[in-house]
Amino acid sequence: MTPTRILASCALALGALCAAAAAVAAGYPDRPIRLIVPTSPGSTADMVARVVAENLGKTLAQPLIVENLAGAAGIPGTRQLVSAKPDGYTLAIVSSNHAINPSLYKSMPYDSVKDITPISVIGTTPLVVVVAQNSPYRTMADLLKAARAQPGKINYGSSGSGSVLHLAGELLKSKAGVDMMHIPYRGGTALITDVMSGQIQVAFLAVPSVLAQVQAGKLHALAVSTPERVAALPDVPTLDEAGVKDYSYDAWISLIGPAGLPADIVQKLQSATQQAMREPAVLKTLTPQGFVAQGSSTELAVQTLAAEISKSQALVKAAAITVE
């Protein structure tokens, strides 16, 4: 066969493959989709996932079945995602831990970049610095003054070593030039209880997880972690406004699939996610809880993951954070 005929045959074969992929995407989905959430029920990621799943299901005309596979910083749940067939019927909602884990663990059962297909950044979750309602620290200035006067004496809690809440605290220490003692918890529920009681003096927590307690006067909010104020807490200053210049850190939540997910299916899912995150019903549910809806492009999802991995590497290294 001549080179010309070989090229022509390859072109025909490629055209047939593209047509087949388009045909698959055109009929997708034709059955329920499994949506893995590698966090516990009731977590911020789980709450967002269930709202998004309901609305994605309407757009795609097939239900998304949420399955919580919690534990070990989301690694077991994500491992199931990466081992799934890349046909669009197994997806996952991952959060900031996905970008932090490669810097924390010497050995991972998957590659956080190569073994997944980013689809869309669903949105971001601002963090808020909280203290007990009867705490002597009524402003960030109060807290920072005390921390500078008593290096290492003030404790701050997080949901675990290397968690987004831990890294937010380490960034504060670095930016503000203070030393505080880190107390890791296994999850956020007990941490919130101990902050309210004053056993833990201060903590970064996701706005949706403590908004009710702040509004009820059970916790006192000192500042939010984002460059702009949070709509759900309009009277709470940003850390930048409170004197910690250029501070910016939040949690993010993304929709991903296994590596090799066909481009047409990725596009269909991204478009449906973007539409869902603009639905009034979704915004009415999530915005008052402090969640910032996005529904980003796939390109931005890829860029966000790369940037977050790089940022996490720098923070983990600077703070010499290790996990067992």
Side-chain angles (χ1 to χ4, degrees):
M1 186 179 291
T2 66
T4 301
R5 293 188 67 183
I6 291 173
L7 288 172
S9 297
C10 289
L12 287 172
L14 181 59
L17 286 171
C18 290
V24 169
Y28 169 84
D30 61 8
R31 62 180 187 272
I33 298 170
R34 179 190 185 199
L35 182 63
I36 296 172
V37 180
T39 61
S40 59
S43 65
T44 298
D46 176 65
M47 178 270 293
V48 172
R50 291 179 185 277
V51 174
V52 173
E54 180 181 353
N55 285 271
L56 272 179
K58 293 176 182 177
T59 302
L60 297 171
Q62 288 291 341
L64 275 73
I65 311 301
V66 176
E67 182 179 350
N68 294 93
L69 296 173
I75 293 174
T78 307
R79 186 176 187 177
Q80 287 210 23
L81 178 279
V82 303
S83 64
K85 184 178 179 180
D87 56 6
Y89 289 97
T90 302
L91 305 173
I93 295 280
V94 293
S95 54
S96 298
N97 279 342
H98 185 80
I100 299 171
N101 288 339
S103 300
L104 285 177
Y105 296 94
K106 294 180 180 179
S107 178
M108 292 271 292
Y110 54 83
D111 188 297
S112 293
V113 176
K114 295 179 181 179
D115 291 338
I116 70 156
T117 299
I119 297 169
S120 178
V121 178
I122 292 173
T124 59
T125 303
L127 308 178
V128 58
V129 184
V130 293
V131 295
Q133 188 56 42
N134 62 355
S135 169
Y137 313 126
R138 308 314 296 167
T139 66
M140 277 302 301
D142 293 339
L143 174 64
L144 296 177
K145 181 179 179 181
R148 291 183 180 118
Q150 309 171 67
K153 297 298 183 181
I154 293 176
N155 61 45
Y156 79 96
S158 82
S159 54
S161 293
S163 66
V164 65
L165 305 181
H166 182 190
L167 266 58
E170 291 301 321
L171 182 60
L172 173 64
K173 288 166 60 177
S174 173
K175 290 279 188 182
V178 298
D179 181 21
M180 298 188 295
M181 180 182 294
H182 173 234
I183 308 295
Y185 280 67
R186 292 185 179 274
T189 303
L191 171 59
I192 293 171
T193 299
D194 283 357
V195 176
M196 286 194 294
S197 70
Q199 184 171 331
I200 291 294
Q201 291 164 283
V202 62
F204 277 88
L205 287 160
V207 170
S209 69
V210 291
L211 183 60
Q213 290 90 335
V214 171
Q215 292 176 333
K218 296 179 180 179
L219 285 171
H220 179 61
L222 300 181
V224 293
S225 67
T226 43
E228 298 179 356
R229 293 195 181 196
V230 176
L233 295 170
D235 297 327
V236 179
T238 67
L239 275 162
D240 185 86
E241 290 174 328
V244 186
K245 295 303 180 185
D246 300 319
Y247 188 100
S248 177
Y249 198 81
D250 56 15
W252 53 269
I253 297 175
S254 283
L255 178 67
I256 66 171
L261 196 61
D264 286 348
I265 289 179
V266 172
Q267 176 58 39
K268 193 163 191 175
L269 288 167
Q270 185 279 328
S271 179
T273 303
Q274 186 176 65
Q275 180 178 334
M277 300 317 294
R278 293 176 178 174
E279 288 292 329
V282 172
L283 296 174
K284 185 177 180 180
T285 301
L286 297 180
T287 302
Q289 298 188 57
F291 187 75
V292 181
Q294 285 190 20
S296 79
S297 67
T298 297
E299 291 76 15
L300 183 57
V302 172
Q303 294 167 11
T304 297
L305 178 58
E308 290 294 319
I309 287 176
S310 178
K311 181 169 69 175
S312 298
Q313 286 175 338
L315 286 170
V316 169
K317 182 178 180 180
I321 299 172
T322 59
V323 294
E324 296 181 358

